[in-house]
Amino acid sequence: MIKKDYYEILGISREASTDEIKKAYRKLALKYHPDKNKEKQAEEKFKEAAEAYDILSNPEKKKRYDKFGHSSSQGDSGGMNMEDIFTNFGEIFGDAFSFSGFSNYKKKNIKGSDLRIKVKLTLNEILKGIEKKMKVQRMKMAKGVELIFCKNCNGTGQITRVTNTILGIMHTTTTCSICGGLGKKSERLPKGVNNQGLKKKEELVSITIPPGVTEGIQLKISGKGNDAPFGNGIPGDLLVVIEEIPHEKLKREGKNLHYDLYISFPDAVLGAYEEVPTGDGKARLKIDAGTQSGKTLRLKGKGLPFLEGYGRGDLLIHIIVWTPKNLNEEQKKMFKQIKNEENFIPQKSEKSFFEKVREMFSS
């Protein structure tokens, strides 16, 4: 699904000031707050506005978004939930939601625990990006769980105690130990259901992985973690940790790929054409006559894409001239005849090895 432009969501221009961004967001938050607006799409628009404000109110995020668009935030949360919004932007609302509905909304949105899985990717999958369907074991709200009103806390989920001290009356509030802060407790639990009314179930989850991810990066799929206790809140998130499968021929270094190309002595002397592997196929490479062992050739744009934006790294081919160990008498005789000729006497390279390496990485 194509995401809307954040400026369009807030109804502001790209030159809008920080105060204008804040004002536009507050106006939409008041309009679509779920406790005030009961329309079907209100909550989604409320979240949409919060996501836009989260990006545009942060100078660094805004700068990346202005340059790369939505691709600048790939790998981020992938959406905001109500708990995130009220936690991060509560001060924006001021006293607008001081009525009881707001506190009830916060209370009922207990979040379930997160899940973490590993996804192994080939170099080709990393290069192109991929959508994977994974079987995930999630704790889901079970059917047949009966809940009753918690009399210990009168359904508030909290116990308040009043104590007289020398300093005056002191109020202390703690989470109800009977219902765990839910205001309800289970009366009957079916077989295989834990004491939070949850049962483990297997679910097929679709995971969209953008091109250019790296080993160890963590993607978050909102709402695909475990359900909240007794389903009384919002599900946790699914955290996807990327694991890279090493390529049998290519080695990765950031966005660049490396390949060791072995050529024969005659090909190094006379020149040749060689076929080299790339992340998504093969490339034909010209070897100039007189190529020295240790020379590095660069194929621009044949590396991996940048996760943060546009463009790709390079493929660096390292030339290694293979020297035969076993020669027959005729071959030995040939080399003995030419070894003292002037053009077979080693000449100092114009640039040292370290100068070549420094030049390669500075270009």
Side-chain angles (χ1 to χ4, degrees), residues 201-246:
K201 293 183 180 179
E202 187 175 82
E203 182 177 328
L204 195 64
V205 177
S206 181
I207 302 170
T208 301
I209 300 172
V213 292
T214 56
E215 172 86 17
I217 195 173
Q218 184 171 277
L219 308 177
K220 186 168 80 171
I221 313 299
S222 296
K224 289 300 180 179
N226 293 323
D227 279 355
F230 300 112
N232 190 26
I234 56 177
D237 302 320
L238 177 63
L239 307 177
V240 182
V241 181
I242 301 301
E243 209 171 272
E244 187 174 329
I245 301 172

Side-chain angles (χ1 to χ4, degrees), residues 2 24 51 60 78-79 95 114 121 133 146 153 160 165 177 192 206 216 226 236-237 287 300 304 315 319 333 347 352:
I2 300 175
E51 185 179 334
E60 286 301 318
D95 298 328
D114 294 338
L121 300 176
K133 295 188 181 297
E146 296 182 12
C153 62
T160 301
T165 70
S177 59
S206 181
N226 293 323
D237 302 320
I287 307 297
K300 286 188 173 294
L304 294 168
L315 171 60
I319 304 296
K333 182 179 179 180
Q347 303 292 319
S352 70

Side-chain angles (χ1 to χ4, degrees), residues 44 287 292:
E44 193 58 38
I287 307 297
Q292 302 296 313

Side-chain angles (χ1 to χ4, degrees), residues 21 37 107 110 142 189 231 240 342-343 347:
I21 294 171
N37 191 325
K107 174 187 162 186
I110 298 170
L189 291 175
V240 182
E342 185 177 349
N343 61 342
Q347 303 292 319

